[in-house]
Amino acid sequence: MKRVGIIGGGAVGLLLAGYLCRANFDVTVYTNTKEQADQLNVLGLTLRSNFIDYHLPVKSEPFADLNQLSADYLFIAVKQYHLKQLVPKLLLLPGNINSIIFMQNGMGHLSELEKFREKVDNLLVAIVEHGAMKEAQTSVSHTGVGEMKIGFYQKGEFSQIIWDKLNAVDFQSLFIKVG
């Protein structure tokens, strides 16, 4: 089973965590607060999709407590302005990650991606067109079906299995192959 980390316990981070759990990935959500992490560990994550509530087990810990990189995929689902504090810590952590996927709006975060060239095999960017509403610290609703578009910023050895599995559980993802 592939290990996936998601930094960000907001609407998009929880939505993605829910679908990745449904696709049988081992998911850890790195939150901004200990309170949210504790609640996710005890209650799990509720994903409301197509009028069905999925109650999913998820691991969580505050981002501040993260002391080693150990996921196959790491999604960074925080607002762009949070990257200035987050990136320096990630760069100093021991361990490795095969792929980091940045999910910020705009292009201001591209300079932050450059800092990971030596640390990570695959750097990707994603645009999320799905609608999501965080209803509580442990609950998210899929409010609008869209598509997550993913493309490479830097490519090494890479498997597309994560996108195929997300599509299989109705979280539409389009992997954009360039070149």
Side-chain angles (χ1 to χ4, degrees):
M1 179 185 308
K2 297 281 186 178
R3 296 165 299 145
V4 178
I6 300 171
I7 298 175
V12 171
L14 292 179
L15 183 71
L16 183 60
Y19 279 99
L20 286 165
C21 285
R22 285 193 57 214
N24 295 315
F25 285 92
D26 178 15
V27 178
T28 302
V29 178
Y30 299 99
T31 62
N32 191 38
T33 67
K34 182 177 180 347
E35 175 190 26
Q36 184 182 16
D38 290 345
Q39 288 180 18
L40 284 166
N41 285 322
V42 171
L43 302 173
L45 173 62
T46 300
L47 168 65
R48 176 166 287 148
S49 175
N50 294 323
F51 304 104
I52 298 171
D53 284 353
Y54 297 92
H55 300 285
L56 304 159
V58 66
K59 292 180 277 190
S60 187
E61 67 179 80
F63 177 73
D65 293 351
L66 180 62
N67 57 18
Q68 181 171 351
L69 298 174
S70 62
D72 297 303
Y73 302 93
L74 179 65
F75 288 86
I76 301 180
V78 300
K79 300 289 186 193
Q80 187 169 299
Y81 53 84
H82 291 294
L83 292 177
K84 293 268 186 243
Q85 295 171 333
L86 184 142
V87 167
K89 178 176 179 168
L90 283 176
L91 289 169
L92 292 175
L93 290 174
N96 59 2
I97 290 180
N98 179 271
S99 301
I100 294 181
I101 302 94
F102 284 81
M103 305 177 72
Q104 287 69 41
N105 292 330
M107 293 179 58
H109 62 288
L110 295 181
S111 62
E112 299 298 326
L113 272 72
E114 285 293 325
K115 298 174 183 175
F116 288 92
R117 280 198 181 272
E118 300 298 318
K119 191 168 183 79
V120 179
D121 290 335
N122 300 294
L123 289 172
L124 299 100
V125 292
I127 299 168
V128 178
E129 298 171 343
H130 291 275
M133 184 171 70
K134 181 177 170 181
E135 295 179 346
Q137 297 283 46
T138 63
S139 178
V140 65
S141 287
H142 193 176
T143 58
V145 176
E147 197 168 53
M148 180 168 66
K149 294 182 171 114
I150 308 105
F152 281 112
Y153 186 80
Q154 170 183 303
K155 183 181 180 208
E157 292 295 317
F158 188 74
S159 167
Q160 191 175 318
I161 194 164
I162 191 168
W163 320 122
D164 295 338
K165 286 189 172 192
L166 281 171
N167 283 325
V169 293
D170 297 323
F171 189 79
Q172 296 306 306
S173 301
L174 175 64
F175 189 76
I176 301 168
K177 297 177 184 175
V178 179

